[in-house]
Amino acid sequence: MDTSSPAAFVNGGLLRMHVGRKVRTVIQVTRSDAGSVMGKSTDGCQLVVRGSPPAPLTSYVEVIGVAENENSIRAELWTNFGDSFDASNYDQLCQLANGELKHLFL
Amino acid sequence: MFSSSQFEDSSPLAGGGFMSSQLGGSTPSSAREIRDMQGLVPATVKQISEASQSGDEKSSFIIDGVDVANVTVVGMVFNKNSRSSDIRFHLDDGTGRIECIRWVTERLDTGDLDALEDGTYVRVNGHLQTFQSKRQLNAFSVRLVTNFDEVTCHYLECIHFHLQNSKVQSKANEAPDSSFGTPVRGASNGHHPASTNDFSMQYNADGLKSFDKLVLNYLQQPSNIDREMGIHVDELSQQLKSPLEKIKDAIEFLEREGLVYSSIDDYHYKAVEGL
């Protein structure tokens, strides 16, 4: 069993706390190019995700990768999360998972 | 042979692992009953990796002080390996990886699993066990996740289960269900002090709930101490923007603790001085 390299739940605001580390987040895609995707985080920030997204992309996509800086992620894994997704639920989860309940996750 | 005393705190589990603790009071007479009552416990792989073992012949695990045999985990499939007798894969839920085994009795059973690719989200329900000192999940159910709100929901359930059982363990005063029943909205975490508009119950080190402290602080203000007749509960309700019932509950508690007393009548209170 392996608990190394866990990924921290982040939204736009929490990304800066995990720069250089593995993170996971869900974004709502606003623009997608060959090497990167721009999207809105669950707390309304603009994020850039570098990598090769799957095609086609649904509106919401989860990315797991390494945080490059406070608004960009280098993605290793992409998962289409569909066109309807409860972003506010996920946002609350990010806050809980980074607060005093962090030990359940990281 | 089976002592039931170790199961005193597990009554919240009766009913499937997700239910609130209103079912307390029925201490089962045998350990086998416990196992049947447990249901599925939502857990992260990290929680599973940190769980201690209960040591009796059941060799079940303990998460948050509760005996756990079966868990439900949501994560991605990796390294799937299909054999004639079983299908194995690693489940990665972002907090860690655990090996899952689905024993194959009939080929028909596992049609779904054959098509599983790396990185696919699934929900695995299974029995926790140890093999060659590694923890594994003996999966009796592996299901594709189709609606991804299920992923968010699963982690919230893990949090809920954890908070539920930490509450039982620490034997704190009962908080109203609303504060933990809706972890998504309005829950303040431990880093933010409760504002006067947010009445989710937090506990200070001295055992006073935040709201009780609010009431006490108001009464302890020098200008209010000076008011000989005391403060009417209606004023407290107005000033603290809170329903009268809540004020009365807080006053009742503070009075029992010897921190406030009623002055000219049952509606006026003052803080005890010189504490």
Side-chain angles (χ1 to χ4, degrees), chain B residues 178-239:
Chain B
S178 60
S179 60
F180 289 134
T182 51
V184 172
R185 300 197 203 297
S188 40
N189 62 35
H191 299 301
H192 302 296
S195 68
T196 50
N197 291 327
D198 173 11
F199 294 114
S200 63
M201 296 300 176
Q202 298 276 341
Y203 295 93
N204 299 318
D206 57 5
L208 277 184
K209 295 200 278 254
S210 301
F211 184 68
D212 294 335
K213 224 169 179 8
L214 272 176
V215 173
L216 185 62
N217 284 342
Y218 186 79
L219 292 174
Q220 279 175 337
Q221 281 172 29
S223 50
N224 289 331
I225 293 267
D226 283 346
R227 289 162 63 178
E228 266 190 19
M229 302 213 289
I231 314 297
H232 196 284
V233 288
D234 281 345
E235 179 182 327
L236 280 167
S237 169
Q238 221 179 14
Q239 288 297 321

Side-chain angles (χ1 to χ4, degrees), chain A residues 10-25:
Chain A
V10 298
N11 55 22
L14 293 164
L15 189 54
R16 71 199 60 205
M17 286 171 33
H18 298 277
V19 172
R21 295 201 291 258
K22 193 159 165 195
V23 295
R24 68 193 294 182
T25 191

Side-chain angles (χ1 to χ4, degrees), chain B residues 73-272:
Chain B
V73 191
V74 170
M76 293 185 178
V77 170
F78 285 105
N79 309 128
K80 194 186 76 177
N81 187 356
S82 281
R83 307 197 295 195
S84 55
S85 55
D86 59 58
I87 296 184
R88 291 169 186 253
F89 57 90
H90 285 104
L91 190 74
D92 187 329
D93 72 346
T95 73
R97 288 195 171 196
I98 186 169
E99 182 167 10
C100 300
I101 307 168
R102 176 81 161 87
W103 295 98
V104 175
T105 46
E106 283 181 25
R107 260 287 130 191
L108 298 170
D109 264 349
T110 55
D112 240 10
L113 288 192
D114 287 340
L116 231 41
E117 289 180 355
D118 270 10
T120 312
Y121 265 102
V122 295
R123 178 184 284 277
V124 178
N125 302 328
H127 184 80
L128 265 181
Q129 60 193 27
T130 318
F131 181 68
Q132 294 176 346
S133 70
K134 264 194 324 178
R135 289 173 188 196
Q136 298 177 327
L137 215 47
N138 188 342
F140 41 77
S141 152
V142 179
R143 191 172 36 79
L144 286 178
V145 169
T146 50
N147 180 333
F148 291 92
D149 287 324
E150 185 172 358
V151 176
T152 313
C153 193
H154 167 73
Y155 290 109
L156 292 173
E157 284 171 356
C158 293
I159 291 174
H160 183 254
F161 177 81
H162 169 78
L163 287 173
Q164 195 82 45
N165 292 290
S166 308
K167 183 170 57 149
V168 167
Q169 272 192 316
S170 67
K171 294 191 178 21
N173 292 335
E174 272 231 334
D177 273 342
S178 60
S179 60
F180 289 134
T182 51
V184 172
R185 300 197 203 297
S188 40
N189 62 35
H191 299 301
H192 302 296
S195 68
T196 50
N197 291 327
D198 173 11
F199 294 114
S200 63
M201 296 300 176
Q202 298 276 341
Y203 295 93
N204 299 318
D206 57 5
L208 277 184
K209 295 200 278 254
S210 301
F211 184 68
D212 294 335
K213 224 169 179 8
L214 272 176
V215 173
L216 185 62
N217 284 342
Y218 186 79
L219 292 174
Q220 279 175 337
Q221 281 172 29
S223 50
N224 289 331
I225 293 267
D226 283 346
R227 289 162 63 178
E228 266 190 19
M229 302 213 289
I231 314 297
H232 196 284
V233 288
D234 281 345
E235 179 182 327
L236 280 167
S237 169
Q238 221 179 14
Q239 288 297 321
L240 298 179
K241 297 189 184 24
S242 207
L244 199 54
E245 274 314 301
K246 213 162 180 146
I247 299 284
K248 284 189 179 165
D249 284 343
I251 287 286
E252 195 180 333
F253 173 77
L254 291 168
E255 203 177 9
R256 259 181 304 163
E257 296 292 310
L259 294 166
V260 304
Y261 62 97
S262 58
S263 46
I264 58 170
D265 63 23
D266 283 344
Y267 297 102
H268 289 81
Y269 288 85
K270 285 170 69 72
V272 174

Side-chain angles (χ1 to χ4, degrees), chain A residues 29-104:
Chain A
V29 178
T30 51
R31 210 180 77 186
S32 109
D33 300 319
S36 72
V37 168
M38 291 205 51
K40 197 169 68 159
S41 68
T42 52
D43 58 344
C45 302
Q46 281 298 319
L47 296 182
V48 174
V49 184
R50 281 182 236 287
S52 353
L57 267 181
T58 57
S59 299
Y60 290 93
V61 64
E62 182 193 48
V63 295
I64 301 181
V66 178
E68 292 180 322
N69 56 50
E70 62 189 30
N71 53 24
S72 125
I73 298 175
R74 185 168 33 87
E76 294 162 1
L77 274 172
W78 304 73
T79 307
N80 277 328
F81 262 28
D83 294 322
S84 67
F85 179 74
D86 193 328
S88 67
N89 247 6
Y90 189 88
D91 198 62
Q92 291 279 351
L93 173 62
C94 289
Q95 287 169 29
L96 289 169
N98 278 279
E100 57 185 10
L101 296 159
K102 209 166 173 170
H103 60 279
L104 298 180

